[in-house]
Amino acid sequence: MRVLGVDPGLTRCGVGVVEGVAGRPLTMLGVGVVRTPADAETGVRLVAVERGIEEWLDEYRPELVAVERVFSQHNVRTVMGTAQASAVAMLCASRRGIPVALHTPSEVKAAVTGSGRADKAQVGAMVTRLLRLSAPPKPADAADALALAICHIWRAPAQNRLQQAVAAHHASKGRSA
C-alpha cells in the first residue's frame, strides 16, 4: 500500500509518502513541505497548497491519502488555516477518486510511539527508526506527515476488518427483519 500522509497547515503543509504493509518493514518514498508566504492572501495560499498536493499526487500516485484530523485549538486563526489546508488535501484526493482517511494526532502518536501523548521529538525519532532514515525529517511537519502514513498502513487492516464486521451485522439484521 502506498500512502501520502498530509500534516495540514497553511504556512507549512507536511507531505510524506510511505509504502508497505503492516508487519513488514516500510519504505519512505518521499518527504517534504509545501510552503506558502504568511503575508499572502488566504485564497492565494490555498491555491499554492493545492498545486503542491497535486504535484505529490502526480509524482507518487498514492492509493490512499491520510490527513491529520483537525482538532480544536485555542488559536482560532491557526485552526482555520489548518482546516482549510486539510480540506484542500481531501479535495485533491477525492477529485482523483483516491480514498481519504482522517487520523487524530493522538491516534498517530500512539501508533508510531506507543503513547498518544508523545512529543514531536519522540515522533520524529520513531519515524526515523521505523523508516530506517539517517536523521529525522525536518521540519517536524514533514516527520508528522510520514507518521500519518505509517499510522494508516498499520491501522488499515484492523479498520477494514471492523468495517466488514459492521457491514455483515447490518446485512444479517436486514435478512431477519
Side-chain angles (χ1 to χ4, degrees), residues 60-121:
Y60 292 100
R61 305 266 184 230
E63 298 165 61
L64 186 130
V65 175
V67 180
E68 183 175 275
R69 184 182 300 272
V70 178
F71 63 100
S72 177
Q73 295 175 321
H74 298 297
N75 186 340
V76 175
R77 280 186 64 185
T78 301
V79 79
M80 283 299 295
T82 302
Q84 291 164 336
S86 174
V88 168
M90 294 166 59
L91 173 71
C92 290
S94 296
R95 185 172 27 216
R96 294 171 180 242
I98 301 170
V100 175
L102 300 174
H103 298 284
T104 67
S106 58
E107 286 174 342
V108 174
K109 292 173 185 179
V112 174
T113 71
S115 170
R117 295 177 178 261
D119 63 25
K120 292 214 176 263

Side-chain angles (χ1 to χ4, degrees), residues 51-62 96 98:
R51 286 187 182 134
I53 299 281
E54 290 289 350
E55 288 174 10
W56 281 80
L57 293 172
D58 285 343
E59 183 171 349
Y60 292 100
R61 305 266 184 230
R96 294 171 180 242
I98 301 170

Side-chain angles (χ1 to χ4, degrees), residues 14 19 80 138 175:
E19 190 167 62
M80 283 299 295
K138 300 280 185 204
R175 286 191 297 262

Side-chain angles (χ1 to χ4, degrees), residues 124-144:
M126 285 306 297
V127 164
T128 302
R129 178 183 289 165
L130 293 168
L131 296 175
R132 300 168 313 283
L133 306 175
S134 58
K138 300 280 185 204
D141 310 273
D144 289 349

Side-chain angles (χ1 to χ4, degrees), residues 1-20:
M1 171 180 277
R2 182 177 291 191
V3 177
L4 170 65
V6 178
D7 182 36
L10 208 45
T11 303
R12 289 182 321 274
C13 183
V15 286
V17 181
V18 176
E19 190 167 62

Side-chain angles (χ1 to χ4, degrees), residues 24-38:
R24 302 274 172 126
L26 303 174
T27 303
M28 180 191 77
L29 301 180
V31 65
V33 177
V34 176
R35 296 179 188 272
T36 69

